[in-house]
Amino acid sequence: MRVDVLTLFPEAFTGPLDVSIIKRARESGLIDLFFHDIREHASDRHRTVDDQPFGGGHGMVMKVDVLDAALQATQSAAEQPGYVIYLSPQGELLNDALVRELAVLPRLVLVAGRYEGVDERFAEHCVDREISVGDYVLTGGELPAMVLIEAVARQLPGALGDASSPLEESFVDGLLEYPQYTRPAEYRGWSVPEVLLSGNHAEIEKWKQLQRLSRTRQRRPDLLEEGG
Ligand code: SAM
């Protein structure tokens, strides 16, 4: 998969994307990431990327002409045009199903906003989908873009060492994962559920499934309602 990111801060994309699973996925060519500075597509000598909103209001708005030029240049950087996603608090909420849907696409173009966001004409005419990482407002779309990249990269076949683990994670089958424990079996009087030490695999599987259900019912009843 190829992912292009349009941002005013390409330098923000170091760190989280250079470690662990995502680092290995990049090194093995499972995912190629490219970061493009939107400002390079500003046409005036001040390299202006934002302007005041028509009709008044606070803050600045990212200019449609600059964004469109940046997007067109990015799209033409590879043969296959990418599916364009604008990270926005007004978009549809990112969840496991959406991540899996995106993970099968060959190319994504992510647009990270700043200021008060983008001129609506860009969202309307140039963007395929608006996606939010939660019902709160961040200063920019860079962290949401990184969240999306990491979530998608984990779903690429071969990205996780243990091929079975993505099937056991929370949200698969609409349930949270069961609680996990490791050694020591006893610590400060806090013990591990007896069944996990029993070696009885059928009982352990039953326990895990019950835990998934009760945990989901307790913490995220909305997931059970969604699943019908
Ligand atoms: N004025 C906008 C509003 O009220 O809907 C918020 C703009 S926000 C300060 C600036 C940029 O941060 C947005 O263009 C978007 O790219 C990004 N952003 C902020 N919160 C986000 C969220 N929850 N999910 C995805 N992107 C977000």
Side-chain angles (χ1 to χ4, degrees), residues 58 62 86-91 93 111-118 131-145:
H58 64 277
M62 292 178 79
Y86 168 46
L87 283 311
S88 161
Q90 301 181 24
L93 276 178
V111 183
R114 281 271 157 176
Y115 315 118
E116 292 309 313
V118 303
I131 295 179
S132 166
V133 293
D135 288 344
Y136 43 80
V137 175
L138 298 163
T139 310
E142 286 75 17
L143 288 170

Side-chain angles (χ1 to χ4, degrees), residues 9-84:
F9 297 100
E11 67 274 22
F13 290 85
T14 51
L17 301 178
D18 296 324
V19 295
S20 185
I21 286 167
I22 187 95
K23 179 183 182 205
R24 285 200 299 276
R26 293 176 79 176
E27 284 172 353
S28 66
L30 268 183
I31 189 165
D32 289 318
L33 305 179
F34 298 89
F35 304 103
H36 309 276
D37 189 348
I38 295 169
R39 198 174 293 281
E40 282 177 9
H41 299 275
S43 51
D44 65 335
R45 66 190 174 93
H46 298 295
R47 307 218 299 159
T48 309
V49 294
D50 58 322
D51 207 337
Q52 291 168 344
F54 280 126
H58 64 277
M60 302 293 270
V61 177
M62 292 178 79
K63 287 163 63 60
V64 61
D65 51 341
V66 179
L67 285 165
D68 188 32
L71 179 60
Q72 285 189 35
T74 301
Q75 288 288 36
S76 59
E79 221 165 88
Q80 174 129 36
Y83 188 68
V84 183

Side-chain angles (χ1 to χ4, degrees), residues 96-173:
D96 190 58
L98 181 48
V99 167
R100 285 166 195 275
E101 201 181 318
L102 299 176
V104 299
L105 300 178
R107 185 177 177 207
L108 302 176
V109 176
L110 309 182
V111 183
R114 281 271 157 176
Y115 315 118
E116 292 309 313
V118 303
D119 184 310
E120 189 61 26
R121 290 167 294 179
F122 178 74
E124 197 179 324
H125 298 288
C126 308
V127 168
D128 294 310
R129 203 142 178 178
E130 290 188 39
I131 295 179
S132 166
V133 293
D135 288 344
Y136 43 80
V137 175
L138 298 163
T139 310
E142 286 75 17
L143 288 170
M146 282 189 257
V147 167
L148 194 150
I149 291 169
E150 158 120 18
V152 165
R154 288 172 58 79
Q155 294 303 328
L156 299 177
L160 302 180
D162 175 1
S164 66
S165 51
L167 300 174
E168 295 207 337
E169 303 275 28
S170 292
F171 306 112
V172 175
D173 297 338

